[in-house]
Amino acid sequence: MTIRVVVVDDQDMVRSGFAALLSAQSDIDVVGEAPNGRLGVEASRNTHPDVVLMDVRMPEMDGLEAARRLLDPPPGVAHRSKVLMLTTFDIDDYVYEALHAGASGFLLKDAPVAELVQAVRVIAAGDALLAPSITRRLIEDVARRRPVPRPNTRLRLNGLTPRESEVLLLVAGPVE
């Protein structure tokens, strides 16, 4: 299976370089390029790629807004590409916004070529991928936000009166 890709980046040399690197792979076909998010959305809607390689910061429409539009298409648009965000800027807000928009991956532009190619393959296969430095920071962030311990449900149920327990069982329905 050939992976169809659209490359969206406002820097011509970067966009062309990514397209050339990906096109050199036997299983990847670059079906479109665009210099901004607005044209990237248009190119994606016309070519139906599996993966859109999307820069974050661009004129006219940034990559985050373009990702939102691709991943939440208007009624009547059936095709939904997967989005791999790329940026030079290692900023957590971009990562959170991209993930919230539904992007499947986030890489920094200084990633090795092999990592970029593998990311396209991973995302095309339906998996998700984050740059290792981003993954580390997300794990640290989640660890800092320890969940508030919840009281044991069984202990709370033991505090019910017999009539409250009877009503609860009736509301819950038969257990099969």
Side-chain angles (χ1 to χ4, degrees):
M1 176 187 107
T2 300
I3 301 167
R4 296 169 52 82
V5 176
V6 166
V7 180
V8 185
D9 195 296
D10 61 323
Q11 296 178 346
D12 186 53
M13 194 180 308
V14 171
R15 185 177 64 251
S16 298
F18 285 147
L21 290 169
L22 293 172
S23 292
Q25 306 302 308
S26 62
D27 61 336
I28 298 175
D29 184 18
V30 176
V31 296
E33 296 182 36
N36 61 56
R38 183 181 60 76
L39 293 173
V41 169
E42 188 178 304
S44 297
R45 296 248 166 89
N46 291 334
T47 61
H48 307 286
D50 301 300
V51 177
V52 177
L53 199 61
M54 182 81 70
D55 185 19
V56 172
R57 292 174 62 172
M58 294 180 288
E60 286 193 52
M61 180 189 296
D62 69 24
L64 296 167
E65 179 59 28
R68 284 185 204 95
R69 291 185 186 195
L70 286 173
L71 297 167
D72 188 20
V77 175
H79 182 78
R80 188 176 302 187
S81 302
K82 294 170 180 68
V83 176
L84 171 59
M85 302 299 298
L86 280 176
T87 187
T88 305
F89 306 98
D90 192 3
I91 300 173
D92 287 349
D93 287 346
Y94 290 161
V95 176
Y96 288 115
E97 282 188 60
L99 295 176
H100 184 66
S104 297
F106 200 100
L107 276 184
L108 300 175
K109 287 184 180 178
D110 65 356
V113 171
E115 196 173 316
L116 171 64
V117 171
Q118 185 60 24
V120 169
R121 290 177 178 137
V122 164
I123 288 170
D127 290 324
L129 182 131
L130 296 173
S133 62
I134 293 169
T135 303
R136 185 188 72 251
R137 287 198 316 270
L138 285 176
I139 290 170
E140 290 169 357
D141 189 36
V142 168
R144 277 194 305 273
R145 299 178 191 199
R146 286 193 149 143
V148 177
R150 296 177 55 168
N152 186 315
T153 303
R154 196 171 291 286
L155 291 176
R156 289 186 294 156
L157 292 176
N158 288 340
L160 297 177
T161 66
R163 179 65 184 150
E164 289 170 331
S165 294
E166 183 183 343
V167 170
L168 181 60
L169 287 173
L170 289 171
V171 169
V175 178
E176 296 181 32

